[in-house]
Amino acid sequence: MALAALPGERIAVGSIVAALKDRVYGLLVVLLGLPNCLPMPPPIPLVCGLVLAFVAVQMLAGRVMPWLPQALLARSIGKPVLTRAVDRAVPLLIRLERFSQPRLTMLGGAYAIPVLGLVILILALGLVVAAPFIGQIPLGLAVCLVGLGLVERDGILIIAGAIFGALGLALSAGFAYAIFSGIHGLFF
């Protein structure tokens, strides 16, 4: 992979972002969705949702590359750590590529990025208010599917993520309604 071939003992995050080029948004979306695919304590979905919303707003604005703070871009990762991470990720990506292939590529194209930014922003806001411990799981999976669809240029995965996200949002809305109704019934 191109990341492991970058020169130097340490590789700056900015260099990694530059090497990923047009797939950096997809990778960021997947990385921010993954922690929400398991039951997590309350601050994790909130933090991931807020950072994901920040990334989604940039997509919505049509930025080609995401803006990240200079302090983060200047940080570096040791080449052995990066190589180990790439070596672990490659078998998973190979398995994923068996199921995923470039389909309906216009859904991951440059003109679709702002629309996907809106979809991801809605999912991110859903993560922020998701029910603790398990409410974020459907939304986390939806975010990961959309992100993987972007990385793999697979419109079918993007559509599946959007549908799964709509179901997750409906589930969260039902949970919020149940809580509101319960509180309303206690006091009125």
Side-chain angles (χ1 to χ4, degrees), residues 104-149:
L104 299 174
T105 55
M106 70 254 180
L107 292 178
Y111 296 113
I113 294 296
V115 175
L116 290 175
L118 179 62
V119 169
I120 293 168
L121 179 61
I122 293 168
L123 294 174
L125 295 175
L127 278 172
V128 168
V129 297
F133 296 105
I134 59 167
Q136 83 274 4
I137 294 174
L139 295 171
L141 290 172
V143 167
C144 284
L145 285 172
V146 171
L148 287 172

Side-chain angles (χ1 to χ4, degrees), residues 16-125:
I16 295 171
V17 168
L20 292 172
K21 296 179 183 143
D22 61 336
R23 294 182 184 212
V24 71
Y25 275 123
L27 185 63
L28 282 171
V29 168
V30 170
L31 290 175
L32 292 166
L34 278 176
N36 296 293
C37 292
L38 299 170
M40 291 289 173
I44 292 175
L46 174 68
V47 171
C48 287
L50 290 174
V51 175
L52 188 60
F54 177 70
V55 170
V57 166
Q58 293 182 62
M59 292 173 71
L60 190 58
R63 288 188 58 93
V64 176
M65 295 289 283
W67 178 86
L68 296 171
Q70 191 60 38
L72 177 63
L73 292 174
R75 288 186 155 256
S76 64
I77 300 170
K79 200 161 190 179
V81 171
L82 184 62
T83 302
R84 195 168 40 248
V86 168
D87 289 344
R88 286 184 183 169
V90 166
L92 177 65
L93 290 173
I94 289 170
R95 276 187 257 137
L96 175 66
E97 286 178 348
R98 288 183 194 148
F99 302 104
S100 179
Q101 58 190 357
R103 298 177 280 200
L104 299 174
T105 55
M106 70 254 180
L107 292 178
Y111 296 113
I113 294 296
V115 175
L116 290 175
L118 179 62
V119 169
I120 293 168
L121 179 61
I122 293 168
L123 294 174
L125 295 175

Side-chain angles (χ1 to χ4, degrees), residues 148-188:
L148 287 172
L150 279 170
V151 170
E152 294 292 324
R153 294 177 174 83
D154 189 346
I156 301 295
L157 276 180
I158 292 171
I159 291 170
I163 291 170
F164 209 77
L167 294 172
L169 289 170
L171 200 76
S172 290
F175 180 75
Y177 177 76
I179 289 176
F180 179 74
S181 295
I183 290 172
H184 186 268
L186 285 174
F187 296 109
F188 299 105

